[in-house]
């Protein structure tokens, strides 16, 4: 006779042990990334803030620099791009060094080397830090090697066939785009789609505001057309 009562009490016990349900975020700054949590909010939050344009100057500098680099690589060889970048950097530093030397000679001041503060910075990598980086990299390398062996030696026929179909489709993509063009397209999408999504998403259906479980958050109707036109324009610009 005690079994039915225990059965009736088990749902309440399991529900209480499973922890509280996610509640709505209590305010927070616009730059916070609620989807990541406090524990993983490190480099991931920095990337999140970067692609969502939290700091316009920082994101603009990163976006502009990388885009110029990719466009330069698309027009010139890697050797030419690297050489021009080094020449540009040396032109700035040498010009500033000569300028400060002339100013010090005219004013008869003894300020010293203009880059002395940066020259004194210790940039050496300790053996412990180097081993940590190598260990972290080896984890990903070993995982990639296992995946490659599993796919090419057909451990799972379905996964190997998926890879073959994907590579076959990529041959058509490669006939239209080259690698640099795909990187430019990826960067334009990374720095434009998230901010458009954040601006036009339907906040009433986000995970912390929806009432029905299993209901997927949707976008506003005009956002789908905006993103579609956005992708078409970027693709046509890169193809032409």
């Amino acid at each position: 006779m005690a079994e039915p009562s225990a059965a009736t009490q088990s749902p309440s016990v399991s529900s209480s042990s499973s922890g509280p349900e996610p509640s709505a975020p209590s305010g927070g700054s616009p730059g916070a990334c609620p989807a990541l949590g406090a524990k993983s909010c490190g480099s991931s939050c920095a990337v999140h803030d970067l692609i969502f344009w939290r700091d316009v100057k920082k994101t603009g500098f990163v976006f502009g620099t990388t885009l110029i680099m990719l466009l330069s690589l698309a027009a010139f060889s890697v050797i030419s791009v690297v050489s021009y970048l080094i020449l540009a950097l040396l032109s700035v530093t040498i010009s500033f060094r000569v300028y400060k030397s002339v100013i010090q000679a005219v004013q008869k001041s003894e300020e010293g080397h203009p880059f002395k503060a940066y020259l004194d910075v210790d940039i050496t990598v300790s053996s412990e830090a180097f081993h940590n980086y190598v260990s972290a990299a080896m984890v990903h390398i070993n995982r990639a090697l296992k995946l490659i062996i599993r796919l090419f030696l057909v451990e799972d026929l379905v996964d190997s066939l998926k890879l073959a179909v994907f590579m076959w489709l990529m041959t058509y993509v490669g006939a239209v785009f080259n690698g640099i063009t795909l990187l430019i397209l990826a960067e334009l999408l990374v720095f434009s789609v998230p901010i458009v999504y954040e601006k036009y998403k339907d906040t009433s259906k986000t995970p912390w505001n929806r009432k029905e479980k299993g209901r997927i958050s949707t976008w506003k109707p005009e956002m789908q057309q905006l993103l579609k036109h956005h992708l078409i324009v970027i693709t046509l610009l890169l193809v032409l």
Side-chain angles (χ1 to χ4, degrees):
M1 296 298 292
E3 293 181 356
S5 60
T8 55
Q9 292 178 0
S10 60
S12 61
V13 175
S14 61
S15 61
S16 61
S17 61
S18 60
E21 294 183 354
S23 57
S26 57
S29 60
C33 46
L36 297 174
K39 294 183 179 180
S40 61
C41 189
S43 59
S44 300
C45 275
V47 175
H48 176 274
D49 294 341
L50 189 68
I51 64 176
F52 277 90
W53 295 79
R54 303 304 186 196
D55 189 348
V56 178
K57 293 182 179 179
K58 183 178 179 180
T59 304
F61 174 77
V62 174
F63 174 66
T65 304
T66 53
L67 185 60
I68 291 174
M69 280 283 297
L70 292 175
L71 291 175
S72 301
L73 290 173
F76 306 100
S77 64
V78 178
I79 297 176
S80 299
V81 173
V82 173
S83 301
Y84 281 122
L85 285 176
I86 294 175
L87 284 175
L89 182 60
L90 285 174
S91 300
V92 173
T93 53
I94 292 174
S95 301
F96 185 74
R97 176 75 168 87
V98 173
Y99 169 75
K100 294 297 290 186
S101 299
V102 172
I103 294 298
Q104 291 175 14
V106 172
Q107 298 179 352
K108 297 181 179 181
S109 61
E110 297 181 356
E111 296 181 1
H113 200 287
F115 300 115
K116 183 175 178 56
Y118 299 100
L119 291 172
D120 294 337
V121 175
D122 187 12
I123 59 173
T124 57
V125 179
S126 62
S127 59
E128 183 181 356
F130 178 77
H131 287 302
N132 291 333
Y133 294 144
V134 172
S135 300
M138 287 302 298
V139 173
H140 298 286
I141 292 174
N142 292 330
R143 188 179 303 170
L145 290 175
K146 290 181 180 178
L147 179 61
I148 291 173
I149 292 174
R150 188 175 67 85
L151 291 174
F152 281 94
L153 298 184
V154 198
E155 180 182 355
D156 189 343
L157 181 60
V158 176
D159 291 340
S160 298
L161 288 175
K162 288 180 181 178
L163 178 63
V165 172
F166 177 74
M167 290 295 104
W168 177 69
L169 294 175
M170 290 301 294
T171 58
Y172 291 95
V173 176
V176 181
F177 305 101
N178 55 26
I180 297 298
T181 305
L182 289 178
L183 290 177
I184 295 173
L185 177 61
E187 181 177 4
L188 292 175
L189 293 177
V190 165
F191 282 94
S192 58
V193 172
I195 190 65
V196 173
Y197 168 76
E198 186 182 45
K199 183 177 180 181
Y200 291 97
K201 69 179 179 181
D202 192 351
T203 56
S204 63
K205 296 179 181 180
T206 50
W208 49 82
N209 287 331
R210 64 195 183 198
K211 295 181 180 179
E212 299 179 4
K213 295 183 178 180
R215 182 178 175 183
I216 302 175
S217 58
T218 58
W219 299 344
K220 292 181 179 180
E222 62 270 17
M223 184 181 176
Q224 297 180 0
Q225 290 296 117
L226 182 62
L227 284 178
K228 186 185 296 184
H229 295 160
H230 186 69
L231 294 174
I232 292 174
V233 169
I234 291 177
T235 306
L236 289 177
L237 287 175
L238 293 177
V239 171
L240 298 176

